[in-house]
Amino acid sequence: MISQIALTLTLLVAAGFVLESFSRLQSLSLGYEPRALFTARFELPWRVYNNRDKIDAFAKALLDKVRTIPGVQNAAISSNGPLMGGWQTGFWREENPRPQPSDMLNSDLEVVGGDYFQTLKVPLVRGRTFNERDTKDSPRVIIIDQAMAEQYFPGEDPIGKRLGVDAGNDNEGWVMSEIVGVVAKMRFHAVDEMAPLPVIYCSLGQAQRTSLTLFIRSTMASASLERAIHDAATSVDPSLPVFDARPMTDRVRETWGSHRLLTFLFSVFAGLALTLATIGLYGLLAYTTHKRVREIGIRLALGARPAQIRALILSHGLKLLLIGSVFGLVAAVALSRALQSVLFEVRGIDPRIYLGVGALLFAATFVASWIPARRASRVDPIVALRTE
């Protein structure tokens, strides 16, 4: 019985930590609004789309077609987008000498087109977004996120400052690019993938990419919208396949998959352990109470009050709880530390969780002990002694 209580406490504490972690993960600010946002991916063949003009023309034609679909509010194109991998690049400020590759500052690099920030509902903090004048023949411009502004331009206005950036264009390399806007932070990677990096955004008119993701904010049902996107893409390029078309909320839920499974498993096992421990404690106390009927009858005959008999049986159950909790507490602390690698923003020692589990175990022990204790307090001493 003591082992059951110890195991139950351990599993309940672990379940509490995992539930707290999952709750914090769900409340995490993504920086964009995934609801009513639909995504689809394209892979442009390089033999056809082998320069920026062709890629830009395809993107504009596709966006024009998509915007005519009933229910579509905004549409945009990105080289990857949140939770879909991405590029990284080095950068440095214009006033500093170009560093060695090993000393280069790093950031995520996203190439975007259309109403990207409006479609994802990412606020513009200052400056402007990209427009039709940002082409391959115009001066290079970039947008940075607030994380980069806070980290590398503290106390400064980054608008107008220039960074050396490699946008990934063939035979071009590093180019000084002017910062024209600052947008709010977005989480591009799952919480268990990597530490967040600041983000640099380039215009699709100035950076070539053949792997593209279409973002659509729409009120249409997903199935109908997927067909409409396929028709729009086919009308622009009949040979171009559309793949991985699904709502953005599905991609977000995927990043919670392991945490959701861990939460489910620990919750189920903890619930089963608590149920078995409660039933086992009840059975043990009911059995020991039955074996002590004669003793209880004598106590009552000698003047013991029913309340004292109930306290006698309850104290037996609480003593088992106390001993089992000591062992369970040690195991729970060890397990919670082992789980730190999969927990999100949860400390290994959280008094609220331990107090909550303690209160739950106390309540279960009291319920399991109360029924045998109540029966024992109602024993008729004459009947008990006569039976013996």
Side-chain angles (χ1 to χ4, degrees):
M1 196 61 247
I2 290 172
S3 300
Q4 275 193 325
I5 291 173
L7 177 62
T8 301
L9 187 144
T10 303
L11 288 174
L12 283 172
V13 168
F17 279 113
V18 174
L19 283 168
E20 177 72 12
S21 172
F22 189 54
S23 175
R24 289 177 181 268
L25 185 63
Q26 287 186 304
S27 63
L28 179 69
S29 174
L30 299 173
Y32 57 92
E33 177 52 71
R35 288 172 293 189
L37 188 63
F38 195 84
T39 62
R41 307 184 80 171
F42 305 88
E43 191 67 41
L44 304 182
W46 178 247
R47 58 182 175 78
V48 178
Y49 299 93
N50 51 15
N51 60 55
R52 275 172 282 176
D53 289 331
K54 292 180 180 180
I55 295 172
D56 195 36
F58 165 81
K60 288 178 179 178
L62 179 61
L63 289 175
D64 289 340
K65 290 284 186 181
V66 166
R67 288 178 180 129
T68 63
I69 299 173
V72 170
Q73 300 166 346
N74 294 100
I77 281 181
S78 167
S79 56
N80 285 286
L83 308 178
M84 287 178 257
W87 287 53
Q88 289 185 17
T89 188
F91 68 93
W92 75 94
R93 293 185 60 162
E94 182 181 34
E95 57 268 29
N96 299 327
R98 177 176 170 176
Q100 295 297 318
S102 59
D103 300 324
M104 194 82 69
L105 302 173
N106 292 316
S107 75
D108 280 325
L109 178 67
E110 292 297 324
V111 179
V112 303
D115 304 322
Y116 182 78
F117 301 108
Q118 297 93 322
T119 303
L120 272 68
K121 293 191 175 181
V122 179
L124 177 67
V125 178
R126 64 181 67 177
R128 68 171 178 89
T129 58
F130 298 124
N131 57 42
E132 296 293 327
R133 295 188 298 276
D134 299 322
T135 66
K136 67 182 182 65
D137 300 318
S138 63
R140 294 301 166 83
V141 294
I142 56 174
I143 294 172
I144 64 173
D145 71 344
Q146 207 164 7
M148 177 171 283
E150 293 170 355
Q151 187 171 353
Y152 297 108
F153 299 92
E156 300 179 65
D157 183 358
I159 302 299
K161 301 289 194 304
R162 285 157 56 92
L163 300 178
V165 178
D166 183 356
N169 294 328
D170 290 339
N171 303 319
E172 187 175 79
W174 304 93
V175 176
M176 281 295 165
S177 305
E178 181 183 348
I179 299 172
V180 296
V182 179
V183 295
K185 292 183 284 188
M186 275 197 287
R187 180 169 284 275
F188 274 85
H189 304 280
V191 294
D192 55 352
E193 282 186 14
M194 58 182 292
L197 289 173
V199 184
I200 294 175
Y201 299 91
C202 296
S203 169
L204 187 61
Q206 297 185 336
Q208 63 189 44
R209 291 292 187 275
T210 54
S211 296
L212 299 175
T213 302
L214 176 67
F215 292 88
I216 297 176
R217 186 163 296 281
S218 172
T219 56
M220 288 181 65
S222 297
S224 302
L225 187 56
E226 183 176 353
R227 288 193 297 270
I229 292 171
H230 183 271
D231 293 341
T234 302
S235 67
V236 177
D237 185 343
S239 64
L240 188 66
V242 180
F243 65 97
D244 198 19
R246 51 189 170 135
M248 192 66 197
T249 50
D250 288 356
R251 300 185 190 277
V252 173
R253 278 194 290 267
E254 272 187 6
T255 66
W256 300 339
S258 59
H259 290 79
R260 183 184 290 109
L261 178 61
L262 199 62
T263 302
F264 173 76
L265 290 176
F266 270 110
S267 299
V268 168
F269 287 129
L272 288 174
L274 180 62
T275 302
L276 291 174
T278 304
I279 294 173
L281 185 60
Y282 165 77
L284 176 64
L285 293 177
Y287 175 74
T288 56
T289 300
H290 177 73
K291 299 295 289 183
R292 297 173 67 181
V293 166
R294 186 169 184 272
E295 174 199 339
I296 292 170
I298 292 173
R299 288 176 180 272
L300 290 170
L302 293 176
R305 296 189 300 275
Q308 292 174 313
I309 300 300
R310 287 195 293 270
L312 178 69
I313 305 302
L314 286 172
S315 66
H316 187 194
L318 294 176
K319 188 182 299 182
L320 293 173
L321 172 65
L322 181 61
I323 298 172
S325 296
V326 171
F327 291 106
L329 190 61
V330 174
V333 171
L335 181 58
S336 63
R337 291 186 183 278
L339 287 173
Q340 282 300 297
S341 60
V342 296
L343 297 178
F344 178 70
E345 293 185 353
V346 177
R347 296 178 301 162
I349 302 296
D350 190 333
R352 295 178 301 113
I353 292 176
Y354 286 98
L355 289 174
V357 169
L360 181 60
L361 270 180
F362 177 82
T365 301
F366 185 84
V367 170
S369 306
W370 176 255
I371 298 175
R374 186 167 176 270
R375 287 178 180 172
S377 67
R378 293 185 176 185
V379 168
D380 187 335
I382 302 299
V383 174
L385 295 173
R386 184 181 298 153
T387 301
E388 289 296 325

